[in-house]
Amino acid sequence: TLVRLPLPLPPPMLVVRPAAPRPKKQETDDLFPEEDPACTEWEIDEKRLKQRQKQVNYGKNTLGYQRYLAQVSKEARIPKVHPSTPNIRWKVSKSIFDERIKAWRRYLHNYDDKPSGLPEEAPSEHSADDVMGDKPPEW
């Protein structure tokens, strides 16, 4: 006699749900706010304030920052075009503050290059032929 075995059940169906939309990366306009609309509280943690001030001081201690101050007067600065120094007292997450510092520092790098009004460096005693050519350098 023939015995009929039940057919195996198909594997359970996987329910695939669409992933939650990722938050959009902040636009440059949002990285240089004059007033932070999301800020309703002020940071009071002294350790965090000291660390933030240290990051701001690193930016202010650059040649690019000094040239930026010299070339763009405070009255001539345009909001959303010229960045302001990030406010260390805004109560925002570390990642948001770090993004603002990063954007501010990158903008300051635009002023790192030598302005056209400065004199060129004095030519070296050794030419490129001396360094790469047949003659040994004279010490």
Side-chain angles (χ1 to χ4, degrees):
T1 68
L2 202 49
V3 178
R4 291 188 177 209
L5 297 173
L7 293 173
L9 294 175
M13 296 292 289
L14 294 176
V15 177
V16 179
R17 294 185 182 133
R22 290 183 179 177
K24 290 184 178 179
K25 195 158 177 97
Q26 286 187 330
E27 298 296 324
T28 306
D29 292 347
D30 296 339
L31 294 174
F32 305 135
E34 292 301 312
E35 294 292 327
D36 189 353
C39 179
T40 57
E41 297 180 38
W42 298 101
E43 186 62 63
I44 57 172
D45 181 14
E46 287 299 320
K47 183 178 178 184
R48 182 171 282 183
L49 289 170
K50 284 181 183 177
Q51 181 59 34
R52 288 179 175 184
Q53 186 62 54
K54 188 176 179 181
Q55 288 179 298
V56 168
N57 290 345
Y58 281 142
K60 287 185 173 183
N61 195 27
T62 61
L63 182 59
Y65 183 75
Q66 300 305 318
R67 289 184 176 159
Y68 171 67
L69 290 177
Q71 292 178 19
V72 184
S73 68
K74 195 158 192 157
E75 298 78 31
R77 294 181 193 165
I78 303 167
K80 308 283 186 190
V81 174
H82 298 105
S84 59
T85 306
N87 188 340
I88 65 169
R89 297 209 176 268
W90 284 338
K91 188 164 183 108
V92 293
S93 67
K94 181 181 185 314
S95 60
I96 296 292
F97 186 79
D98 288 347
E99 282 182 28
R100 290 182 179 164
I101 285 285
K102 184 177 179 180
W104 177 63
R105 297 275 313 268
R106 282 186 180 221
Y107 183 84
L108 294 178
H109 282 300
N110 294 333
Y111 293 87
D112 283 347
D113 295 321
K114 185 176 10 173
S116 58
L118 291 180
E120 293 293 322
E121 291 182 14
S124 172
E125 291 180 22
H126 302 287
S127 68
D129 291 336
D130 293 343
V131 175
M132 301 299 287
D134 298 331
K135 293 191 266 182
E138 297 174 14
W139 304 103

